[in-house]
Amino acid sequence: MTDVVFDTVTKVFPGQTVAVDELSLSVDEGEFLILVGPSGCGKSTALRMVAGLEKISAGEIRVGGVVMNDIPPKERDIAMVFQNYALYPHMTVEKNLGFALRQQHTSREEIGRRVAEIAQMLGLEDLLARRPGQLSGGQRQRVAMGRALVREPKVFLLDEPLSNLDAKLRVQMRAELKRLHQQLAITTIYVTHDQVEAMTLGDRIAVLSAGKLQQLGGPQDVYDLPANVFVAGFIGSPPMNLLSGIAKEGRVEAGDLVFERSGVPDGEVIVGVRPEGLRPVGQDDPGPGFEVEVEVVEPLGDEVLVHGYVAARDAGVRIEVEEATLLATTKDRAAVTVSLSPDVRPTPGSRLHLAVQHASVHLFDAGSGAAIR
Amino acid sequence: MTTIDLRADEMAPSAPTVLRGEIGMVERPRRRWLPFSPWHLLLMPVAFLMLVPFVWVIMTSLETLAQTQHFPPILWPGSFQLNNYPRAFSSVPFGTWFLNTTIVTVSVVLSNLVFCSLAAYGFARIKFWGKGIAYFFLLATLMIPVQVVIIPTFLIVKQMHLLNTLGALIVPNLANVFGIFLLTQFFRTLPIELEEAARIDGASRLKILITIVLPLSLPALATLAVIQFLWTWNDFLWPLVTIYKESAFTLQLGLMSFQGSHVNDTNLLMAGNVMSMLPMLLLFIAAQRYFVRGIATQGLKG
């Protein structure tokens, strides 16, 4: 069994910076686990501790049941792909691919065979004699993966491997990564801040913030049932609209949006509505909903993004995501984003009546941020 | 980084030329009243001044003794005394001194490359207690003039029974602080991920140094080798203090025998000088490629 277990792992850097705070999670054998979170959330540090590049301040990391805390990197049988690939610039692709095997004193024939095999798998046959400086970004990326895979490691670690590629290549390499994992079924931990990568690649995703695990689960579960307001705001693109609301006797009010929800304790709550959980309706629609003052319309082909204001208070939750809110929020108007089907094309300045689908409304405790279910 | 540089270069010729200050006006072709930049008018005399001592040495080495003693100095002897060279070579044990100097210089250069690399890698990459302080004190010794430590070093060398041997010239110079400093600074500029990748791939620290760090540091190593070669080959003071047996002389020490209280063969001294300079010229020509590459590849890393 080559599962990876984080058992209350903590990493404190000099100067008392806590990068990882009592992280506990386990990665099953052959699983593709994503560590996702904003920059500085400790995800890379967690990965580097598995690789043995960072010392563990407290807790244990076990790989296949063996405690790794004091085992040097070379004895862990773990391979890693770095964000900037870290290819040896003075060696040819062939030498780069065979480097780890040469360290293990593998026979020359065996190295040749395995390098040829991996080169074929990744389409690198014609590049073997070149040096990294003569390769394109995508080719370098492939060599970096090949160098890690050629060792047939127990665990495969990837630290934001696609972030240096352009958008088109990223999509292509993402698919290739998924195919490789399905083919090889090596236990994989993948670090990213890109939630599209997280959603598409992972068997399960672990959302981290400030060194703490926020939620662990399947991509769809995390999307459908965020454990707290941070996860709700971080996962999903565009991010969830978060409004400030009040719950009283089973009735929740957030500006214009009023709906019944039983079992919600009275008091301040945060109401989260996914941009894609809204649909345009006539003015006299009886269901819960609100009116949006349209400011900006972005047609994307398969959907239309509408940015506008609703008469409600913004929840004031700030989460570092790539697509930050387009509009600034004022005191009694909250900026919201709505995703509509492409046949709806509102004009800026118009008013749009939207019905809120019950299932896409999430409630969170205003104090702790935990989901109320 | 490279691609940006290249792109900028490629863009340059096609970019519209705009006269400074007057937007929109196309620059007229500059009238050239000189086939070179006017700056060269200043630089050429300076370059010539730099060459004068060198030319003077060569000219003096081809003069008769009487011509060398003439005042004002004769810069162009009518006939060249080429036999000054064989005379300088045979009137003293030039071959032995040349060999001695070569042995000392090669040993010192090689040992510096080895020991300075090892020490520099430690300072650049390995965490250990007291590293900062140790590096500080090491660098502080650069501020101490050689003359201050010459007597203690002499006493140590004497204790080791190395006086009058080539060992006296080699042992105290096996490593030097400047080399450690130079390589430490260079090693720190190499991406740490390369070494982390190699560690995960199963390479030991020493293996990483040999297979990853050193091959990527050739420009720095070449620089250190040339500087160390120059220092050791030209060193005069330390051999003068520790060597007084003619068979263990180095070239710089031996050349002194052409100029003493009773002899003054300036022409032979200069002929010996020219011969002693040859290895350095050859080294420069051989290592020039690395200097140029060292400068040219600054933007190519990454």
Side-chain angles (χ1 to χ4, degrees):
Chain A
M1 276 287 279
T2 46
D3 58 337
V4 179
V5 177
F6 290 79
D7 190 351
T8 56
V9 172
T10 298
K11 173 71 191 180
V12 184
F13 281 114
Q16 302 307 305
T17 317
V18 181
V20 177
D21 195 359
E22 300 198 344
L23 176 65
S24 287
L25 63 90
S26 65
V27 190
D28 299 334
E29 178 166 23
E31 192 184 359
F32 200 124
L33 181 101
I34 308 275
L35 290 180
V36 68
S39 52
C41 72
K43 55 194 189 301
S44 284
T45 309
L47 195 76
R48 289 168 59 82
M49 283 193 283
V50 180
L53 298 174
E54 298 287 354
K55 276 209 174 324
I56 298 163
S57 308
E60 263 182 18
I61 289 179
R62 293 187 291 272
V63 175
V66 182
V67 178
M68 288 287 146
N69 291 35
D70 297 317
I71 296 179
K74 61 174 180 172
E75 286 163 32
R76 296 191 181 199
D77 198 6
I78 282 171
M80 181 160 167
V81 174
F82 291 81
Q83 185 173 0
N84 61 3
Y85 317 135
L87 299 176
Y88 311 126
H90 57 297
M91 294 183 197
T92 61
V93 169
E94 188 174 9
K95 287 260 168 8
N96 263 287
L97 290 175
F99 184 82
L101 297 177
R102 287 201 299 280
Q103 306 312 312
Q104 296 167 354
H105 306 291
T106 312
S107 75
R108 196 173 291 198
E109 298 79 49
E110 177 69 6
I111 294 177
R113 189 185 67 72
R114 271 158 74 175
V115 167
E117 192 181 278
I118 217 83
Q120 197 226 334
M121 187 196 286
L122 295 168
L124 296 170
E125 297 106 316
D126 300 333
L127 308 174
L128 288 176
R130 293 209 202 159
R131 291 188 184 200
Q134 301 164 302
L135 302 178
S136 69
Q139 290 167 335
R140 284 184 208 184
Q141 168 66 54
R142 252 189 275 265
V143 176
M145 302 235 285
R147 191 177 66 183
L149 288 171
V150 77
R151 287 167 47 191
E152 297 166 5
K154 275 197 253 171
V155 180
F156 195 27
L157 307 176
L158 300 113
D159 189 1
E160 310 221 13
L162 306 184
S163 59
N164 282 356
L165 301 178
D166 61 48
K168 209 169 178 180
L169 252 178
R170 206 179 301 172
V171 175
Q172 192 187 330
M173 287 306 292
R174 209 165 66 200
E176 200 152 333
L177 261 173
K178 192 148 194 170
R179 177 182 67 83
L180 273 174
H181 182 255
Q182 281 161 0
Q183 190 180 339
L184 302 168
I186 300 174
T187 311
T188 303
I189 306 179
Y190 185 107
V191 160
T192 184
H193 66 271
D194 180 319
Q195 41 128 342
V196 179
E197 281 171 31
M199 293 292 288
T200 52
L201 281 170
D203 293 328
R204 281 192 304 163
I205 65 183
V207 185
L208 293 178
S209 172
K212 281 193 162 71
L213 180 64
Q214 304 293 322
Q215 190 170 5
L216 174 67
Q220 199 60 48
D221 299 338
V222 173
Y223 176 85
D224 289 340
L225 297 169
N228 57 38
V229 75
F230 174 84
V231 178
F234 190 77
I235 298 291
S237 170
M240 187 186 278
N241 301 302
L242 297 167
L243 306 171
S244 179
I246 300 261
K248 200 174 178 190
E249 292 161 3
R251 193 179 145 89
V252 181
E253 265 189 59
D256 285 353
L257 179 63
V258 182
F259 57 94
E260 308 279 324
R261 180 73 67 91
S262 57
V264 180
D266 290 358
E268 271 195 56
V269 291
I270 294 169
V271 180
V273 183
R274 290 260 180 228
E276 50 277 27
L278 296 156
R279 71 188 156 80
V281 287
Q283 213 162 355
D284 47 358
D285 184 81
F290 47 58
E291 197 180 55
V292 176
E293 222 183 293
V294 178
E295 289 276 335
V296 180
V297 180
E298 294 182 299
L300 297 177
D302 60 337
E303 62 172 340
V304 175
L305 289 186
V306 176
H307 304 273
Y309 289 109
V310 294
R313 274 193 307 124
D314 186 86
V317 181
R318 289 284 162 262
I319 296 157
E320 188 208 322
V321 281
E322 272 181 47
E323 304 102 287
T325 330
L326 206 67
L327 306 173
T329 297
T330 55
K331 204 174 137 225
D332 49 357
R333 294 199 314 169
V336 294
T337 307
V338 184
S339 163
L340 300 174
S341 66
D343 50 319
V344 188
R345 191 70 66 85
T347 49
S350 65
R351 286 176 170 276
L352 199 61
H353 290 273
L354 298 165
V356 177
Q357 288 155 18
H358 191 261
S360 65
V361 177
H362 304 265
L363 291 180
F364 306 95
D365 187 275
S368 69
I372 304 170
R373 297 207 175 110
Chain B
M1 279 196 300
T2 330
T3 43
I4 293 165
D5 288 350
L6 278 176
R7 230 174 281 155
D9 280 352
E10 284 162 11
M11 295 272 286
S14 61
T17 39
V18 175
L19 206 64
R20 259 167 300 169
E22 290 171 81
I23 297 159
M25 271 185 70
V26 177
E27 192 182 11
R28 272 165 295 178
R30 190 186 291 160
R31 200 180 300 148
R32 298 208 124 185
W33 48 280
L34 276 177
F36 45 77
S37 157
W39 277 106
H40 290 188
L41 288 177
L42 181 71
L43 294 174
M44 278 189 291
V46 175
F48 180 74
L49 268 179
M50 300 277 175
L51 265 179
V52 166
F54 188 64
V55 174
W56 197 352
V57 166
I58 294 177
M59 285 305 158
T60 312
S61 76
L62 296 168
E63 291 174 0
T64 62
L65 187 59
Q67 281 173 320
T68 65
Q69 287 159 350
H70 189 272
F71 191 85
I74 298 166
L75 286 178
W76 187 258
S79 63
F80 295 122
Q81 306 295 315
L82 284 170
N83 68 340
N84 281 348
Y85 283 83
R87 272 180 62 208
F89 198 87
S90 56
S91 62
V92 291
F94 198 92
T96 311
W97 298 345
F98 192 93
L99 184 69
N100 287 345
T101 316
T102 308
I103 292 171
V104 170
T105 307
V106 170
S107 313
V108 168
V109 168
L110 288 181
S111 72
N112 264 278
L113 289 178
V114 172
F115 293 127
C116 293
S117 298
L118 288 168
Y121 185 71
F123 281 118
R125 290 295 192 231
I126 297 171
K127 287 180 194 152
F128 57 89
W129 190 84
K131 178 164 100 170
I133 296 282
Y135 195 59
F136 173 80
F137 277 109
L138 201 69
L139 290 192
T141 63
L142 278 174
M143 310 296 156
I144 302 171
V146 181
Q147 290 79 355
V148 173
V149 291
I150 221 161
I151 293 172
T153 316
F154 176 86
L155 293 175
I156 295 169
V157 167
K158 190 176 171 222
Q159 285 287 318
M160 294 168 83
H161 303 288
L162 288 175
L163 289 183
N164 264 324
T165 68
L166 297 184
L169 306 181
I170 296 171
V171 173
N173 295 313
L174 285 173
N176 84 64
V177 176
F178 170 76
I180 297 172
F181 170 69
L182 181 84
L183 293 181
T184 305
Q185 297 308 102
F186 192 86
F187 291 169
R188 281 180 181 162
T189 65
L190 297 174
I192 186 103
E193 289 88 354
L194 293 178
E195 294 169 47
E196 290 178 339
R199 272 171 72 194
I200 294 175
D201 280 347
S204 62
R205 287 280 194 191
L206 191 61
K207 195 91 183 235
I208 291 171
L209 177 64
I210 295 168
T211 57
I212 310 284
V213 175
L214 292 184
L216 293 176
S217 306
L218 283 182
L221 294 172
T223 308
L224 175 61
V226 170
I227 291 172
Q228 194 63 52
F229 190 98
L230 218 75
W231 283 350
T232 317
W233 190 272
N234 287 339
D235 195 12
F236 176 73
L237 182 62
W238 181 243
L240 181 71
V241 172
T242 51
I243 309 283
Y244 31 94
K245 195 171 72 182
E246 203 182 74
S247 64
F249 272 12
T250 60
L251 268 179
Q252 308 306 329
L253 210 51
L255 288 174
M256 201 178 54
S257 55
F258 290 113
Q259 191 177 28
S261 39
H262 303 293
V263 275
N264 197 357
D265 296 328
T266 313
N267 51 349
L268 299 189
L269 174 65
M270 293 306 159
N273 255 333
V274 172
M275 286 192 281
S276 81
M277 273 190 281
L278 284 178
M280 266 176 312
L281 281 176
L282 289 177
L283 178 79
F284 178 74
I285 292 165
Q288 196 194 17
R289 194 165 65 96
Y290 284 105
F291 289 138
V292 175
R293 205 167 70 175
I295 296 160
T297 55
Q298 293 293 305
L300 277 172
K301 300 259 168 61

